[in-house]
Amino acid sequence: MRLPTNESDDPLTRALAPPPNETAEERAARVKKEIEAQRVSDEIDEAIKLEKNAQRKKRAMRMLLLGQSESGKSTTLKNMQLAYAPRTFAAERVSWRAVIQLNLVRSINAVLDALSSELSPVEASSKSSYLFGSSGLSKPPSPGPEPGNSSGILEIPQDRRAALMKLKLRLAPLRQVEADLKARLGAGTEEITEATLGTLRSAEGRGSMDAENALSGLADDGVMPCVPSRKPNPKEVFVRSHRDWKEKEKARTKLSLVSLNQSSRPVSPGFSLDLSDRDSATDVLAGCAEDMESLWRDSVVSEIVKHRKVMSGLWDSADYFLASISRIASRDYEPTNDDVLRARIRTLGVQEYTIPFETSGESPPPHLGFSKRDWHEWKVYDVGGSRTSRAAWIPYFTDVHAVLFLAPISAFDERLAEDKRVNRLEDTFLLWQEICKNELLKNAVIILFMNKCDILKRKLEAGVQVNKHMTSYGARDNEVTAFAKYIQHKFKELLISLSPEKRMFYGFLTTVIDATATAKTLASVRDGILQANLRNANFVA
């Protein structure tokens, strides 16, 4: 085949060539248009260049939040936003309304599930067989189900059964509300099932097997061995991106408020929500508010909740939202800071947040030796803490200035959702060891939050014995101060013995749902991180 021998055969040359038979006026218009297009292109290039230079001058601090699932990472992040970027936090607060409503509805539906089981004729028949036996001989009743076991039926008074059945039927619409709220939070909202976990493991195995082996210390070390995972709470949902659902919820809430004549602000541009997409979940909740209150305050239901250990199967703040039914289930409900801090939604993967220091108008402490320019913003990476998510941590270990590790010390008597054979606090210690000895993090400051001290206190005051779950605790006092001192000493010893480079130990006892106390702790963390990075990582040029 003959190759092209002149320029006219080149397709690019032909495309750029002036149109045939072009008049002088047409040529002038074409040249003018090309000059304008070049001017716009040059302006875009210059804007990109200026933005890159501005980003270099900001010198953002990069922090990684690590810890197992439900250790308090996301709540700590919200505390950072509240403390250092209050205007941004306030602007996003309204977007959490659907998440908080979902938390409340899930809690109510869990109570309804327990009530249904107690009212079920099938389970009642099973109870009768248990009490009297197939031989007709009476068997002694069990004092109650073992921890974590939902078997056993309470005897509901006959004069209350009809009323409770009616109450359950009136609250039936909440099942659809829960499904609608999950769908509303975005296409990325999914229930975690065994199939979902299998897909995640498969994807992570294809892309990050080396990273997963590096983090786990390999199975032959005896550290974090690979074992079959069990199905977690099927009602747990997660979102793939924190930005999408927040923006959509802002727009939807504004539309709802406009329809109630409570706001004249227009809906954010870029969203096409019609009136049929208005906040119907809020309307249903408002209509069911009185019945939800009646359910939660009913003495028989309270016994069922206690007997079936309903609250232990939910997240830590479920009782907080159940105590606020009348406030949350109203048409004009607006989330408070405490509501947002306690709201629970699981985020899949690694989420990046930029926290500008809006409240740092004052100069930083002079002894630290840096200027306001270096005080500008932090880049915080919130990562999933479940076993299936940990392979994604490794790429973020490079070029990070600080690691904030969350250890839920109240979990000494709990088991991993992924594997019921593994104690949660033991898993936390194994994770801590891997972080301390990782070579990629040798120049990073590591801060430890020994979190959920409020739950720890409630457990110990209720008589839960630490040494029944941690034999190494021995005969030490079964109270918060002694246990916290013991745990802190173990974390410190591991840091000192395993770190590739000498490190200072920064350990804090925290309850991150307490915004005031956490803000004070974060102030100490902030100064410590910046000072350490000035010394060790040349953070300031």
Side-chain angles (χ1 to χ4, degrees):
M1 182 174 62
R2 186 173 63 86
L3 296 174
T5 57
N6 56 63
E7 292 184 348
S8 64
D9 292 326
D10 179 50
L12 181 60
T13 301
R14 290 199 304 270
L16 295 177
N21 304 320
E22 183 181 44
T23 65
E25 291 80 4
E26 291 172 341
R27 180 179 183 281
R30 176 175 58 79
V31 171
K32 183 178 180 181
K33 186 176 180 180
E34 290 175 352
I35 292 173
E36 176 62 17
Q38 185 61 49
R39 184 189 66 79
V40 172
S41 178
D42 291 342
E43 287 182 354
I44 293 173
D45 290 342
E46 183 63 22
I48 293 173
K49 182 179 178 180
L50 291 174
E51 184 177 355
K52 286 182 177 179
N53 291 335
Q55 289 294 330
R56 291 193 192 100
K57 292 179 180 179
K58 284 182 180 179
R59 296 179 179 272
M61 170 72 74
R62 290 179 294 279
M63 173 185 282
L64 192 58
L65 293 178
L66 297 181
Q68 65 183 209
S69 182
E70 297 187 53
S71 59
K73 298 186 298 297
S74 296
T75 307
T76 300
L77 173 63
K78 286 182 276 189
N79 270 291
M80 290 180 181
Q81 294 171 314
L82 178 59
Y84 299 127
R87 292 191 297 273
T88 302
F89 185 87
E92 288 189 349
R93 195 166 52 208
V94 68
S95 65
W96 285 88
R97 184 159 92 158
V99 177
I100 293 165
Q101 290 173 333
L102 178 58
N103 283 194
L104 173 60
V105 171
R106 284 183 58 202
S107 301
I108 289 291
N109 283 338
V111 174
L112 289 172
D113 287 340
L115 177 60
S116 296
S117 296
E118 296 293 340
L119 293 171
S120 169
V122 175
E123 292 209 30
S125 174
S126 173
K127 179 194 76 168
S128 177
S129 175
Y130 171 75
L131 287 177
F132 300 104
S134 58
S135 65
L137 298 176
S138 177
K139 294 183 180 180
S142 169
E146 293 297 321
N149 184 1
S150 61
S151 63
I153 307 295
L154 287 175
E155 187 64 44
I156 299 178
Q158 287 297 324
D159 60 338
R160 295 301 320 283
R161 294 181 69 88
L164 290 173
M165 284 290 291
K166 289 180 181 179
L167 189 59
K168 183 171 77 75
L169 290 173
R170 287 200 298 269
L171 291 174
L174 295 183
R175 301 290 179 184
Q176 186 59 45
V177 170
E178 180 176 350
D180 291 344
L181 286 172
K182 290 175 181 177
R184 262 179 52 182
L185 289 172
T189 305
E190 301 178 27
E191 290 192 12
I192 295 181
T193 63
E194 191 62 30
T196 305
L197 288 175
T199 301
L200 293 175
R201 294 189 194 105
S202 176
E204 289 170 355
R206 290 193 300 271
S208 306
M209 186 58 68
D210 292 340
E212 187 171 8
N213 288 338
L215 181 62
S216 66
L218 301 177
D220 57 4
D221 282 345
V223 178
M224 295 170 58
C226 296
V227 293
S229 295
R230 299 191 182 183
K231 185 176 179 179
N233 185 350
K235 292 186 178 181
E236 184 73 23
V237 296
F238 64 82
V239 292
R240 296 182 182 277
S241 171
H242 66 89
R243 295 183 180 90
D244 292 345
W245 66 266
K246 285 182 179 178
E247 290 303 318
K248 290 176 182 178
E249 283 306 309
K250 284 181 188 178
R252 180 177 283 102
T253 302
K254 287 181 180 180
L255 182 60
S256 180
L257 292 177
V258 167
S259 69
L260 289 171
N261 296 320
Q262 292 180 342
S263 172
S264 59
R265 294 175 294 178
V267 177
S268 299
F271 292 92
S272 56
L273 296 173
D274 55 34
L275 289 176
S276 65
D277 198 24
R278 200 179 65 80
D279 203 349
S280 59
T282 296
D283 294 335
V284 176
L285 282 175
C288 292
E290 186 175 343
D291 287 333
M292 287 192 288
E293 287 271 16
S294 298
L295 178 76
W296 182 238
R297 292 179 179 177
D298 189 278
S299 59
V300 173
V301 173
S302 296
E303 285 299 316
I304 293 173
V305 168
K306 182 179 179 181
H307 174 71
R308 288 188 169 262
K309 303 184 183 298
V310 173
M311 301 310 293
S312 65
L314 297 171
W315 55 97
D316 298 333
S317 296
D319 54 348
Y320 170 84
F321 293 117
L322 286 166
S324 307
I325 292 173
S326 60
R327 181 172 60 85
I328 296 173
S330 62
R331 288 183 173 84
D332 58 352
Y333 166 65
E334 294 185 13
T336 66
N337 289 343
D338 283 340
D339 293 346
V340 175
L341 287 177
R342 293 172 182 268
R344 163 76 178 168
I345 191 166
R346 187 171 178 179
T347 305
L348 180 69
V350 179
Q351 303 293 318
E352 178 183 328
Y353 296 80
T354 299
I355 301 180
F357 275 69
E358 297 171 356
T359 59
S360 60
E362 77 283 358
S363 296
H367 70 278
L368 296 185
F370 53 87
S371 64
K372 287 184 180 179
R373 184 189 70 177
D374 304 304
W375 198 254
H376 191 78
E377 68 180 27
W378 284 8
K379 295 283 187 183
V380 182
Y381 303 93
D382 183 16
V383 304
S386 65
R387 284 189 168 185
T388 58
S389 301
R390 293 173 190 175
W393 295 3
I394 297 294
Y396 292 86
F397 284 7
T398 58
D399 201 28
V400 66
H401 299 106
V403 172
L404 181 52
F405 188 92
L406 276 293
I409 61 175
S410 63
F412 67 89
D413 62 340
E414 300 173 17
R415 299 282 170 173
L416 282 180
E418 303 95 317
D419 184 0
K420 298 301 182 183
R421 294 171 292 178
V422 179
N423 181 279
R424 283 190 65 195
L425 190 53
E426 179 183 355
D427 180 67
T428 291
F429 277 121
L430 293 174
L431 277 176
W432 176 253
Q433 292 178 47
E434 296 303 315
I435 298 305
C436 291
K437 70 183 183 183
N438 194 291
E439 285 285 341
L440 296 176
L441 296 171
K442 66 180 181 181
N443 292 322
V445 182
I446 299 181
I447 304 102
L448 172 68
F449 274 16
M450 290 164 284
N451 194 33
K452 303 198 176 185
C453 290
D454 57 329
I455 300 175
L456 173 66
K457 182 179 179 181
R458 289 202 299 268
K459 285 185 177 181
L460 297 186
E461 288 179 349
V464 180
Q465 297 295 312
V466 174
N467 56 17
K468 288 185 177 180
H469 304 275
M470 294 180 63
T471 55
S472 62
Y473 191 67
R476 294 176 177 84
D477 292 340
N478 199 71
E479 52 90 25
V480 173
T481 303
F483 180 68
K485 183 178 180 181
Y486 170 77
I487 291 296
Q488 183 169 350
H489 178 70
K490 287 180 70 70
F491 277 114
K492 185 176 181 179
E493 276 192 332
L494 290 171
L495 179 83
I496 293 172
S497 63
L498 296 176
S499 293
E501 305 285 345
K502 185 177 179 181
R503 278 193 176 107
M504 290 287 293
F505 176 73
Y506 298 97
F508 301 88
L509 296 170
T510 59
T511 299
V512 293
I513 58 172
D514 184 340
T516 302
T518 304
K520 295 177 181 178
T521 302
L522 288 173
S524 300
V525 168
R526 175 196 60 190
D527 291 351
I529 291 173
L530 291 170
Q531 187 171 20
N533 276 285
L534 282 169
R535 181 176 62 251
N536 299 331
N538 296 320
F539 184 52
V540 176

